[in-house]
């Protein structure tokens, strides 16, 4: 039998009273008549002088044969009069055998003295059975089917989805490797526009905005020169975005492609510098001239890459052409 115990010790800084009283232990039962399997509570009370060491063993599993201990509450200590304390604890018990039990007394050890509590009786009765009415006896009921709850199936559903995902990933990897493709599909990037097409589009947008007609001369000429600077960088490899106008003209002075329109580029850059730094207000013809010269400069200096012919088409043409000449020249071979 396993025991718990209650110990009553002195409080810090307090001594034992000179006129000590005897310690006592008492017990009472909540309900003395229960049915098999029902529960009742024993209320245990210990009274002793504050600061005195007492010991009370309490069974934690079985009070006696046929009476079981279900739980013990936490002891509750309360100060009372005459420098004494009172400890209370509840013991929950039950029984599964019908009988009349005289519960054993609880023991309190106070130094050399031992005190016992009173004994309480517990009557445990069986369920009343009417033997004269056999129809009142029923068989054991079937097991109830629990209600359907989606949460109970979440682990199974997630497991199935995970397996399907792994199968799909394995098939995707196998197919990409079989076709000798990258595992990560890259989005096809559109090739950038040729430098001259990009410049023409920007110049068209500048013309549509009609900035100088709205008095925005600085914005108008700045956009034209920025467009040309970007075009020069892509077309000639000149870092025009970081160069002054004079540096750009020096860099292109001896270039064969830009020589025919060199003076037009100088007109655009010079007028733009006057507008931006000297706050010049150009005439309408001068504004139009800068845009026209920009178009002309791009058109003259543009570089169009030659498109390589398809080899298959070239082979077909090289085979077909002699045949046509043979027929046209009366069967004379080349």
């Amino acid at each position: 039998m396993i025991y718990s115990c209650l110990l009553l010790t002195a409080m810090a800084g307090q001594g034992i009273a000179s006129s000590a009283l005897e310690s006592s232990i008492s017990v009472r039962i909540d309900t003395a008549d229960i049915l098999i399997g029902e529960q009742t509570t024993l209320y245990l009370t210990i009274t002793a002088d504050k600061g005195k060491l007492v010991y009370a063993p309490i069974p934690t599993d079985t009070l006696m044969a046929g009476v079981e201990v279900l739980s013990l509450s936490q002891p509750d200590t309360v100060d009372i009069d005459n420098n004494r304390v009172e400890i209370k604890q509840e013991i929950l018990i039950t029984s599964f055998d019908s009988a009349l039990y005289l519960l054993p007394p609880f023991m309190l050890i106070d130094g050399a003295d031992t005190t016992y509590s009173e004994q309480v009786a517990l009557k445990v009765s069986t369920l009343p059975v009417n033997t004269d009415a056999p129809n009142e006896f029923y068989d054991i009921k079937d097991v109830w089917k629990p209600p359907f709850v989606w949460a109970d199936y979440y682990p199974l559903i997630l497991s199935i989805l995970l397996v399907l995902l792994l199968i799909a990933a394995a098939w995707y990897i196998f197919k990409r490797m079989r076709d000798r493709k990258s595992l990560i599909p890259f989005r096809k990037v559109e090739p950038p526009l040729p430098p001259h097409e990009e410049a023409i589009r920007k110049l068209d947008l500048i013309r549509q905005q009609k900035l100088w007609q709205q008095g925005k001369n600085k914005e108008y000429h700045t956009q034209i020169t920025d467009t040309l600077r970007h075009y020069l960088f892509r077309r000639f490899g000149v870092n025009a975005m970081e160069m002054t106008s004079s540096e750009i003209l020096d860099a292109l002075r001896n270039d064969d492609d830009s020589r025919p329109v060199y003076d037009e580029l100088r007109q655009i850059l010079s007028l733009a510098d006057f507008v931006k730094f000297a706050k010049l207000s150009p005439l309408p013809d001068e504004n139009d001239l800068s845009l026209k010269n920009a178009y002309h400069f791009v058109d003259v200096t543009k570089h169009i890459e030659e498109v390589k012919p398809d080899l298959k088409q070239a082979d077909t043409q090289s085979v077909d052409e002699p045949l046509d000449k043979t027929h046209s020249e009366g069967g004379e071979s080349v």
Side-chain angles (χ1 to χ4, degrees):
M1 183 181 295
I2 302 175
Y3 286 89
S4 176
C5 66
L6 289 178
L7 291 177
L8 180 62
T9 59
M11 299 294 181
Q14 293 180 348
I16 302 175
S18 58
S19 57
L21 300 177
E22 293 184 358
S23 302
S24 63
I25 182 170
S26 62
V27 63
R28 65 181 181 86
I29 191 168
D30 183 21
T31 302
D33 189 358
I34 62 174
L35 296 176
I36 289 178
E38 288 186 340
Q39 302 172 3
T40 188
T41 303
L42 293 176
Y43 298 97
L44 186 66
T45 302
I46 298 175
T47 304
D49 290 336
K50 184 183 297 185
K52 181 179 289 186
L53 179 64
V54 294
Y55 173 74
I58 301 174
T60 60
D61 53 358
T62 304
L63 277 183
M64 60 180 298
V67 181
E68 299 179 9
V69 176
L70 298 179
S71 65
L72 297 175
S73 68
Q74 293 294 327
D76 183 18
T77 304
V78 180
D79 291 342
I80 57 178
D81 297 335
N82 298 326
N83 199 28
R84 290 169 67 81
V85 294
E86 187 177 74
I87 302 176
K88 294 183 178 181
Q89 190 170 19
E90 298 179 3
I91 307 172
L92 185 65
I93 61 175
T94 188
S95 177
F96 296 96
D97 295 325
S98 60
L100 179 60
Y101 299 95
L102 185 62
L103 302 182
F106 290 90
M107 179 174 57
L108 177 65
I109 300 174
D110 181 3
D113 298 330
T114 301
T115 306
Y116 293 91
S117 69
E118 63 274 20
Q119 290 184 276
V120 294
L122 175 65
K123 180 180 179 183
V124 181
S125 306
T126 59
L127 294 173
V129 177
N130 186 2
T131 58
D132 297 333
N135 294 331
E136 294 182 359
F137 292 90
Y138 301 99
D139 194 7
I140 299 175
K141 292 185 177 181
D142 294 334
V143 179
W144 288 3
K145 186 177 181 180
F148 180 81
V149 179
W150 275 107
D152 297 339
Y153 298 91
Y154 283 167
L156 178 61
I157 295 174
L158 292 177
S159 300
I160 294 175
L161 292 177
L162 180 60
V163 170
L164 294 177
L165 180 61
L166 292 176
I167 293 175
W171 170 250
Y172 172 79
I173 293 174
F174 168 76
K175 188 173 182 301
R176 299 290 292 188
M177 293 182 66
R178 183 190 62 185
D179 298 338
R180 296 184 178 180
K181 297 180 179 179
S182 174
L183 295 181
I184 302 176
F186 293 97
R187 184 179 177 184
K188 187 177 180 181
V189 180
E190 293 291 336
L193 291 174
H196 67 279
E197 291 187 12
E198 181 184 14
I200 293 299
R201 288 193 179 186
K202 291 182 178 179
L203 292 175
D204 290 341
L205 181 60
I206 296 172
R207 182 177 57 185
Q208 294 172 5
Q209 291 177 344
K210 297 182 178 180
L211 294 173
W212 71 265
Q213 292 88 336
Q214 305 173 26
K216 300 178 181 179
N217 292 317
K218 183 178 180 180
E219 291 84 347
Y220 173 75
H221 288 276
T222 299
Q223 289 190 23
I224 293 177
T225 54
D226 287 346
T227 300
L228 289 179
R229 287 171 184 269
H230 187 69
Y231 170 75
L232 292 173
F233 172 73
R234 295 191 59 195
R235 170 61 179 84
F236 297 96
V238 177
N239 191 17
M241 300 300 296
E242 305 296 332
M243 300 169 66
T244 62
S245 299
S246 59
E247 291 174 342
I248 294 173
L249 293 173
D250 291 340
L252 297 176
R253 189 181 305 277
N254 298 321
D255 185 83
D256 294 335
D257 293 335
S258 62
R259 184 176 293 112
V261 285
Y262 180 82
D263 291 336
E264 296 177 6
L265 178 62
R266 181 169 54 187
Q267 180 273 328
I268 297 170
L269 297 177
S270 300
L271 181 59
D273 288 341
F274 280 116
V275 172
K276 288 188 291 184
F277 302 112
K279 297 182 180 180
L280 175 70
S281 297
L283 297 175
D285 292 342
E286 293 176 320
N287 289 326
D288 284 336
L289 181 60
S290 291
L291 186 59
K292 291 178 181 179
N293 287 340
Y295 274 113
H296 192 234
F297 180 85
V298 172
D299 184 62
V300 171
T301 60
K302 67 184 178 181
H303 175 70
I304 301 177
E305 295 182 357
E306 296 182 358
V307 179
K308 295 182 180 180
D310 192 354
L311 294 178
K312 293 183 179 180
Q313 294 180 358
D315 293 341
T316 303
Q317 292 177 0
S318 62
V319 172
D320 293 342
E321 287 178 358
L323 293 177
D324 294 340
K325 291 181 178 180
T326 301
H327 290 295
S328 61
E329 296 176 3
E332 186 177 353
S333 62
V334 179

